[in-house]
Amino acid sequence: VTLVWDNGQGLSIQRTISLFDRNTLAGRLGISIPDNVKSVGYESDNQIKNAGSVDWKKENGLLSIWILCMMTPTEKTTAIVPFNAVPNAKSYITDDYFGKIPPERLVLKDSILYFTCDGKKRSKIGLSPAIAKPIAGSFDFTGNVLTIIQFPVEKNGRYVNSKWELQKEPYKGDVVNSYNDGPLEDGSQLGPFYELESSSPAVELKSGEVQQYKQATFHFQGDYNSLAQ
């Protein structure tokens, strides 16, 4: 399926969604899928084009391709985000998008973050391209559902800083995020839902140039022992 959108003011977007068969899915992850595990996988191929006559410059603001996997939370859903364990790795992790996250809801062990995604407390984490790996996931321990996303990481790329504040360094943002929805101050709520997110670098496109960004998403469901393989 391919969708095309043009705002008539210099921005054109094209998105193609491709569904994987079971063999392609297994090959993309380099795994064998047990017979008793259900699976589905797809890839979104996203392109933005500078369709105007003026080159895009970082001084004037740049666009990023931002992919959000929005899913249903449970009492026992956890986002699992691995990262490269470089010195001072914590300084490359953003954990205060919507206030500091309580330690019982965000656990760091070795080189993996475990983030509670129960739809009960609005919070978000993000990892800089300095430490991010090209993979993240979540596990629903209630329904035994494993979700994995794959995406490219440009270690030295410009990534949009999406914190809700005036930016001192607007291009030192995160490549991968997870968001947990929760009640707002007035008690209302958007979801509940949770997200696994990835972003492209923000690129200075000349007039007529195109940027491409792909993310693959995989879902597996089965008994716990089979999924553990």
Side-chain angles (χ1 to χ4, degrees):
V1 177
T2 299
L3 304 173
V4 179
W5 178 81
D6 193 314
N7 74 348
Q9 298 180 5
L11 173 63
S12 177
I13 299 172
Q14 177 175 304
R15 189 179 200 209
T16 301
I17 308 296
S18 302
L19 188 66
F20 297 138
D21 61 32
R22 193 173 175 91
N23 290 334
T24 302
L25 189 159
R28 289 292 294 266
L29 288 173
I31 62 172
S32 296
I33 304 173
D35 291 338
N36 61 346
V37 170
K38 298 177 181 179
S39 63
V40 64
Y42 58 90
E43 182 175 67
S44 60
D45 181 345
N46 310 276
Q47 299 181 37
I48 57 173
K49 179 180 180 179
N50 179 351
S53 59
V54 178
D55 296 347
W56 295 353
K57 299 292 185 180
K58 65 178 183 179
E59 292 80 10
N60 299 324
L62 297 174
L63 297 179
S64 169
I65 302 172
W66 183 24
I67 307 299
L68 312 179
C69 293
M70 184 181 292
M71 294 167 286
T72 303
T74 72
E75 293 277 353
K76 297 181 179 180
T77 298
T78 300
I80 304 166
V81 187
F83 60 89
N84 293 305
V86 302
N88 201 27
K90 285 186 177 181
S91 67
Y92 298 105
I93 299 170
T94 304
D95 61 359
D96 60 350
Y97 277 94
F98 300 104
K100 202 71 173 178
I101 302 171
E104 68 273 12
R105 301 183 69 89
L106 180 62
V107 178
L108 190 156
K109 290 186 178 180
D110 299 322
S111 57
I112 302 176
L113 282 176
Y114 299 92
F115 175 48
T116 299
C117 290
D118 56 4
K120 292 186 175 183
K121 183 173 178 58
R122 195 179 196 207
S123 47
K124 182 176 178 177
I125 61 169
L127 276 69
S128 159
I131 63 168
K133 291 188 174 183
I135 192 168
S138 65
F139 198 92
D140 167 9
F141 289 87
T142 301
N144 281 340
V145 178
L146 170 66
T147 296
I148 296 173
I149 62 171
Q150 280 184 327
F151 47 89
V153 176
E154 292 187 21
K155 186 174 181 179
N156 297 315
R158 298 187 190 99
Y159 285 87
V160 171
N161 188 334
S162 57
K163 290 190 72 174
W164 291 6
E165 61 188 23
L166 292 176
Q167 301 294 341
K168 294 181 180 179
E169 296 181 297
Y171 299 115
K172 284 195 174 181
D174 300 320
V175 59
V176 57
N177 299 88
S178 181
Y179 171 77
N180 183 54
D181 190 39
L184 303 177
E185 291 182 0
D186 63 3
S188 65
Q189 189 166 356
L190 296 172
F193 59 88
Y194 78 98
E195 294 175 341
L196 296 175
E197 313 170 0
S198 75
S199 296
S200 76
V203 177
E204 292 184 309
L205 295 180
K206 295 180 179 180
S207 177
E209 286 186 337
V210 174
Q211 179 186 8
Q212 182 182 46
Y213 182 74
K214 297 181 179 181
Q215 179 185 286
T217 304
F218 311 90
H219 301 288
F220 302 92
Q221 185 173 32
D223 71 85
Y224 181 84
N225 290 330
S226 296
L227 288 172
Q229 297 180 31

